[in-house]
Amino acid sequence: MSLSKLFCDKSAAFSAKHERRKEARPGELLDAALDLFVEKGFAATRVEEVAAHAGVSKGTLFLYFSSKEELLKEVVRHNISGHFKDWNNQFECFQGSTAEMLGYCMSAWWERVGATRASGISKLMVCEARNFPDIAAFYQQEVIAPGQALIRRILQRGMDRGEFRQMELDYAVYSVIAPMMFLILAKHSNGVCVQDQAEMDPKKYIAAQLGTILHGLSMPPGDLAQPAENARA
Amino acid sequence: MSLSKLFCDKSAAFSAKHERRKEARPGELLDAALDLFVEKGFAATRVEEVAAHAGVSKGTLFLYFSSKEELLKEVVRHNISGHFKDWNNQFECFQGSTAEMLGYCMSAWWERVGATRASGISKLMVCEARNFPDIAAFYQQEVIAPGQALIRRILQRGMDRGEFRQMELDYAVYSVIAPMMFLILAKHSNGVCVQDQAEMDPKKYIAAQLGTILHGLSMPPGDLAQPAENARA
Amino acid sequence: MSLSKLFCDKSAAFSAKHERRKEARPGELLDAALDLFVEKGFAATRVEEVAAHAGVSKGTLFLYFSSKEELLKEVVRHNISGHFKDWNNQFECFQGSTAEMLGYCMSAWWERVGATRASGISKLMVCEARNFPDIAAFYQQEVIAPGQALIRRILQRGMDRGEFRQMELDYAVYSVIAPMMFLILAKHSNGVCVQDQAEMDPKKYIAAQLGTILHGLSMPPGDLAQPAENARA
Amino acid sequence: MSLSKLFCDKSAAFSAKHERRKEARPGELLDAALDLFVEKGFAATRVEEVAAHAGVSKGTLFLYFSSKEELLKEVVRHNISGHFKDWNNQFECFQGSTAEMLGYCMSAWWERVGATRASGISKLMVCEARNFPDIAAFYQQEVIAPGQALIRRILQRGMDRGEFRQMELDYAVYSVIAPMMFLILAKHSNGVCVQDQAEMDPKKYIAAQLGTILHGLSMPPGDLAQPAENARA
DNA sequence: GATGAATGAGGATTCATTCAT
DNA sequence: CATGAATGAATCCTCATTCAT
């Protein structure tokens, strides 16, 4: 069964009005700012660098953003995906098993978020949350909450359908979130998470994590078949 | 009274408060610096704050650390545990199942690292790695590499003993690491990872993640028994 | 009206005040810096003072000079005259007696260097040479060496033409240099060289020193005897 | 005729009382301070360096000198020679020609001042006079004035005895002072005055300057003539 | 709108001076 | 007396922000 068949047709309706104003403002500045904030941190990034990366002068930046902090806020707003409405819709229509749904979710997330520049937002928020509580709260409300809610619904669906074992959702959600967050950090933290980043294939990583999430590392219980004649010394 | 007694007394009484302070200063400063760097980031932390948190003046800090950057380096060095030798030894002697071993490991890690202030180092490194590549490399070599190696050995043991299924270790290690890293971030990122941090019990979190890691979320295959037409309570 | 006229007008009117300032700034800063460095020494001069003397703010100074030390270097470079090429040319064409030439030289030096603010450079170099060996070496190469060379040529001319007695040039050059250097110090050292600086007329000083250099203090031998019909072509 | 014969026996009587207190204070500190102030300038010298050079701790320095500036004052006071009383006495008894007297003076100055560490005082004063007008005034009064007075007396003696030509003493004194000051600067200014300091022999330098001062650079008129045991009444 | 020169508050660092031991 | 740890005012330098062109 192809994945595309699994969904109904309701496509997402984008919020048009609020976006318009921001679209008018040089997206290059927001992109440059995101890249640099992620790379060097907010405090260590100079607005002049941001402007230079966007190909404009320092003064121009302040034409569009009243302050460096306001720029950060806009960066966060601009990079917060409207994916959730879409994804929630897709959840409603999904026909396959919950395992498939979870796999689809993680792949889709990687393609639409993780692999893009927008993924840096998460690292940025992790690093700057303490300094900008209001931005953190906004992010938490716009991204974390809907994200966790979606995953909860998926896991609940699995439990409801007898596919997943009974579990405490408050903790189980992190089994899905943690590997994705880790992948983002690995991508943005210069070897602090993974030894040789170039060696890591994100798709294989996601596949492997999905495998663990679904089945764990342990030998399937019934699967007594291959004993492993090895054992300890 | 012997001469040596005289000398001992003298040296013992030698400069009580002043000396004690001098011994204690660097450690107090390192602790304060760790806390603040983790909380606010390196660039956004003022040395004067660090000094104040350690109960000394700005100038005193520079008596012990030649620069703010050197302070950061020392913070990292100082907080890098020598746990791995110990843990590797324990690995050698461990008698129980590999699942138990993994559970023991994660709990021990939480108690000795995760729950302590030292855990902040990981968040700090994630945030500052790009700005301080040499420190990141040092951390990677002293912490990341040995940590991953230990986990690989554990997983390999599980596979060798037929407890764990065959897996590609290069990716499987992250099934263990990601949840722990996530826990640290949750602790230090002001709600950006978990909605209500106060609600989360780290021990339950670790238990839950261990459960997932070992057995996955899926219903055990043979266990088809109770399909659960239920839904929750 | 031709197109070129339009362009000319436009470019001529282009940014009047702002640009003019920008052109002028570095020179004003260099002048202020020279004055203050000479007056108070490099270390005792604050960059803010320099900026204030040039009528700009602290930050502006750093727009043009990357550091206080770089400012010093530029001060030296900027004040090192290209007089030597000119003077060497004049040496070649000079027709009069070598005594006249020496007198002309000392007067010209006074007018073009000694009496100007540039004279402070020499005092500055004397005072700061130990702290900035590379600048000292540069000054030595650009000023001291050519200066001594010129004087040697003059003295040599005098000897060659039988006007001057045979002398060891390595030491004789200082008979010319020392009085000029002394005059500079007198000008800049607040009474440490001469008791009442206001009383001293530099032209009379130079005339007097030239007299000594040429004829010494001693009574002309024989005096009476004969005016010296010797020498010169 | 040996030089020693030229003098009568009045030796100098040292001022005993005021010296006593200063003698009690570590001369090492004053010596170290002089060396460093001369080498690096007052502002650029750290009191800790002075203390270290004198082999004591920073705190000890402040036991003897209430401030860095007071240290400078004491350095100047300590290094101001009491030579003038002695030299003035010698002037009174000198039997030889004034040319001999001048030569003796310059040699004696070199041996007792110029060649010693004390010579640095002059360079120090030249450099710091603007920043410490009161010290400069003190130095001027204790050293410059008596020094110039002595030289004036010598030149006057030469004129009175018909050995020297008539000259304006206000300017003529500098013919003697400038070469000596220059020698000091050459010694302390790291190549800014003389190209290769190592090459210069101070005694030859002084002999050469004395030659110029006495007879000038010009060919003796008539040459032929000789000695001319003075002229004019 | 765009520019970039100018600003000055803010932060890292130094160092003269103090003072408990 | 001597020490050297501690201090904090002073100074260099940075960089977000303003504004005249």
Side-chain angles (χ1 to χ4, degrees), chain D residues 8-138:
Chain D
C8 51
D9 284 325
K10 298 186 204 160
S11 273
F14 292 107
S15 61
K17 58 204 160 172
H18 197 64
E19 301 293 295
R20 200 66 52 185
R21 268 195 346 129
K22 280 163 200 158
E23 228 62 9
R25 293 174 176 178
E28 285 91 355
L29 281 166
L30 291 170
D31 287 347
L34 174 58
D35 289 347
L36 288 165
F37 289 165
V38 169
E39 188 178 327
K40 316 173 56 150
F42 176 78
T45 299
R46 281 174 298 139
V47 293
E48 192 161 19
E49 282 179 283
V50 176
H53 272 238
V56 300
S57 75
K58 198 168 28 165
T60 302
L61 187 150
F62 285 92
L63 241 41
Y64 294 100
F65 307 95
S66 61
S67 72
K68 192 186 179 188
E69 194 164 336
E70 187 57 33
L71 172 62
L72 173 61
K73 288 181 184 171
E74 292 297 338
V75 164
V76 177
R77 284 193 200 106
H78 184 254
N79 283 285
I80 280 178
S81 63
H83 292 316
F84 289 115
K85 197 167 293 179
D86 193 19
W87 284 341
N88 277 315
N89 284 338
Q90 294 184 310
F91 172 86
E92 304 292 354
C93 348
F94 199 88
Q95 307 291 340
S97 74
T98 307
E100 281 168 337
M101 182 189 275
L102 202 54
Y104 170 77
C105 246
M106 290 175 73
S107 298
W109 169 84
W110 172 249
E111 272 156 34
R112 299 195 214 159
V113 179
T116 73
R117 123 185 312 134
S119 71
I121 276 288
S122 297
K123 188 220 170 190
L124 180 57
M125 290 313 304
V126 163
C127 296
E128 307 295 339
R130 301 298 254 284
N131 290 113
F132 305 98
D134 53 333
I135 307 183
F138 175 71

Side-chain angles (χ1 to χ4, degrees), chain B residues 135-197:
Chain B
I135 308 183
F138 175 70
Y139 178 79
Q140 142 75 42
Q141 169 194 317
E142 295 294 317
V143 177
I144 302 303
Q148 292 205 5
L150 177 56
I151 291 168
R152 284 180 94 100
R153 293 180 73 191
I154 294 174
L155 300 187
Q156 187 66 52
R157 181 186 189 262
M159 286 162 61
D160 290 346
R161 294 168 49 128
E163 296 170 280
F164 290 172
R165 55 188 171 81
Q166 295 302 310
M167 58 188 108
E168 201 171 345
L169 284 182
D170 285 344
Y171 293 94
V173 286
Y174 300 125
S175 293
V176 181
I177 293 174
M180 298 197 293
M181 177 64 87
F182 186 86
L183 181 54
I184 283 178
L185 296 183
K187 200 180 153 196
H188 293 291
S189 65
N190 194 28
V192 165
C193 292
V194 302
Q195 282 184 261
D196 189 351
Q197 201 183 322

Side-chain angles (χ1 to χ4, degrees), chain B residues 77-135:
Chain B
R77 282 193 204 106
H78 185 251
N79 282 285
I80 280 179
S81 63
H83 290 319
F84 289 114
K85 195 170 293 180
D86 191 22
W87 283 342
N88 278 316
N89 283 340
Q90 291 183 288
F91 172 87
E92 304 291 353
C93 329
F94 200 87
Q95 303 293 338
S97 72
T98 306
E100 285 168 337
M101 182 188 276
L102 202 53
Y104 169 76
C105 248
M106 289 175 73
S107 299
W109 168 84
W110 172 249
E111 274 157 33
R112 299 195 215 157
V113 179
T116 72
R117 108 183 325 130
S119 70
I121 278 287
S122 296
K123 189 223 171 188
L124 181 57
M125 292 312 304
V126 164
C127 296
E128 306 296 341
R130 301 297 255 280
N131 290 115
F132 305 95
D134 54 332
I135 308 183

Side-chain angles (χ1 to χ4, degrees), chain B residues 27-48:
Chain B
E28 292 164 4
L29 284 163
L30 289 170
D31 287 348
L34 175 57
D35 289 347
L36 287 164
F37 288 164
V38 169
E39 187 180 327
K40 317 174 55 149
F42 177 79
T45 300
R46 283 175 301 135
V47 294
E48 195 162 15

Side-chain angles (χ1 to χ4, degrees), chain C residues 127 130 140 188 213 216-217, chain D residues 127 130 165 188 191 213 216-217:
Chain C
C127 295
R130 301 297 256 278
Q140 141 75 43
H188 294 290
I213 292 168
L217 302 176
Chain D
C127 296
R130 301 298 254 284
R165 56 188 170 81
H188 293 292
I213 291 167
L217 302 176

